[in-house]
Amino acid sequence: MADRCYAKKVAIVGMGNVGAAFAYALVLRRLATDIVLIDLDQRRAEGEALDLKHGLPLVGPMNVYAGSYADCADADIVVITAGANQKPGQTRLELLKTNAGIARSIVKSVLAAGGSPILLMTSNPVDVLTRAAMDVSDQLGLPQGRILGSGTVLDSSRFRHLLSKTLGADPRGIHASVLGEHGDSEVCIWSRANVSGIPVGDVMRSRGLTMDQAFRDQMAYDVRHAAYEIIDRKGYTATAIGVALCRIVEAIVNDQKSILTVSTCAEGHYGLPRVCMSLPCIVGAGGVEAVIDAPLAPEEETALRASGAVLFESAKALL
């Protein structure tokens, strides 16, 4: 596996808060040699590109520029962050239909350029939009593993952060994941949570802490509501999802075979229906290269199926 990327091109569609934060993180991480910014507002894309280019002498050589869908023809990865914001009086279902239409249109435009990039969805609701985009890409001949959503990579990071605060331990040594919907029905997986191989419960007991159901429920609540807390204070979330997207891109461009909780087709796993949701996936140069059907605690599997049912009902609304 490669330790660094060579001639890797990443296209970002959508230069809102998330797209701009991701582009900034991508430049700092130096995960691509070419970064093209695409937005309906061409001047906005040009402004973001100029802002990033002025910092390159302090970071390293990269080709950063504003472009169009034609520039996706030779892109290795296309990250889609574009989507409409909810308008006053607009229902969640109306917003979902609007963003599903946007996602489908973008995928068609990207693939019409003639390439076969990996498509990484991050617009919300990311799981339903990943399914909608996958339906289009399937029809256009893109292998299913080459389209994935950012899923609960960020939620899992939030889970690890909160555990690290509780345990007073380095978050990099904490291994814990969130599966299912990137949303209110997501499932914190306690049965496999560990600190450098030591079960979280054992570490807590050694620190005089109790991992009872009340603690688990509060932790799950805090993970699910983390975005609401940020939005209440600054109006939007962008920075951490930008970092999470970089982690996924890193696994792809360096063919790391990392196990990440990205959103992928869940049908055939854990008895789930035809939805996209986050499962443990091996992510490498081919995108999602495998799904790991690791055993879950019975209550976790039940909750995961309930999450799948929520997503299935949302997806039905788009038919």
Side-chain angles (χ1 to χ4, degrees), residues 190-205 211:
W190 291 96
S191 61
R192 296 201 301 267
N194 69 86
V195 183
S196 297
I198 305 169
V200 163
D202 292 346
V203 177
M204 289 189 67
R205 280 188 289 274
M211 195 176 78

Side-chain angles (χ1 to χ4, degrees), residues 28-269:
L28 292 183
R29 292 290 306 279
R30 301 186 65 190
L31 292 173
T33 53
D34 297 86
I35 302 171
V36 56
L37 312 181
I38 302 168
D39 196 275
L40 284 174
D41 184 346
Q42 179 70 12
R43 288 180 60 81
R44 173 65 183 268
E46 290 169 354
E48 293 290 354
L50 279 170
D51 207 6
L52 290 169
K53 283 193 282 192
H54 293 165
L56 292 182
L58 307 173
V59 178
M62 272 171 276
N63 184 26
V64 182
Y65 63 101
S68 66
Y69 286 117
D71 294 290
C72 295
D74 59 347
D76 297 283
I77 305 171
V78 176
V79 182
I80 300 172
T81 71
N85 294 319
Q86 194 162 9
K87 299 175 182 177
Q90 186 180 39
T91 68
R92 183 180 179 277
L93 179 57
E94 289 171 338
L95 178 64
L96 172 60
K97 289 182 176 179
T98 296
N99 279 340
I102 292 171
R104 292 185 184 112
S105 175
I106 290 172
V107 171
K108 288 177 182 176
S109 296
V110 168
L111 297 182
S116 183
I118 290 173
L119 301 178
L120 174 54
M121 298 292 302
T122 192
S123 307
N124 280 317
V126 68
D127 302 296
V128 179
L129 296 189
T130 299
R131 178 73 263 175
M134 191 176 287
D135 288 342
V136 173
S137 64
D138 283 348
Q139 296 169 7
L140 297 176
L142 191 71
Q144 197 167 83
R146 295 185 71 81
I147 182 162
L148 62 154
S150 54
T152 59
V153 172
L154 174 55
D155 309 74
S156 297
S157 182
R158 287 170 172 156
F159 189 20
R160 293 169 61 198
H161 164 72
L162 292 170
L163 284 172
S164 76
K165 285 180 59 181
T166 299
L167 300 173
D170 184 345
R172 293 173 299 178
I174 294 174
H175 305 280
S177 60
V178 176
L179 303 182
E181 177 195 17
H182 172 59
D184 291 342
S185 71
E186 65 188 22
V187 185
C188 291
I189 305 300
W190 291 96
S191 61
R192 296 201 301 267
N194 69 86
V195 183
S196 297
I198 305 169
V200 163
D202 292 346
V203 177
M204 289 189 67
R205 280 188 289 274
S206 74
R207 304 298 297 269
L209 303 170
T210 302
M211 195 176 78
D212 56 15
Q213 192 59 50
F215 171 82
R216 295 186 187 195
D217 290 345
Q218 184 62 51
M219 182 69 71
Y221 177 88
D222 290 344
V223 171
R224 287 196 305 270
H225 286 77
Y228 301 129
E229 293 293 327
I230 297 167
I231 291 169
D232 183 58
R233 287 162 173 79
K234 62 178 276 189
Y236 61 92
T237 63
T239 307
I241 184 59
V243 176
L245 290 169
C246 277
R247 180 65 189 94
I248 300 168
V249 168
E250 178 186 33
I252 295 169
V253 298
N254 290 332
D255 195 23
Q256 292 179 336
K257 315 296 185 188
S258 300
I259 296 180
L260 299 172
T261 55
V262 294
S263 187
T264 190
C265 183
E267 189 173 20
H269 303 282

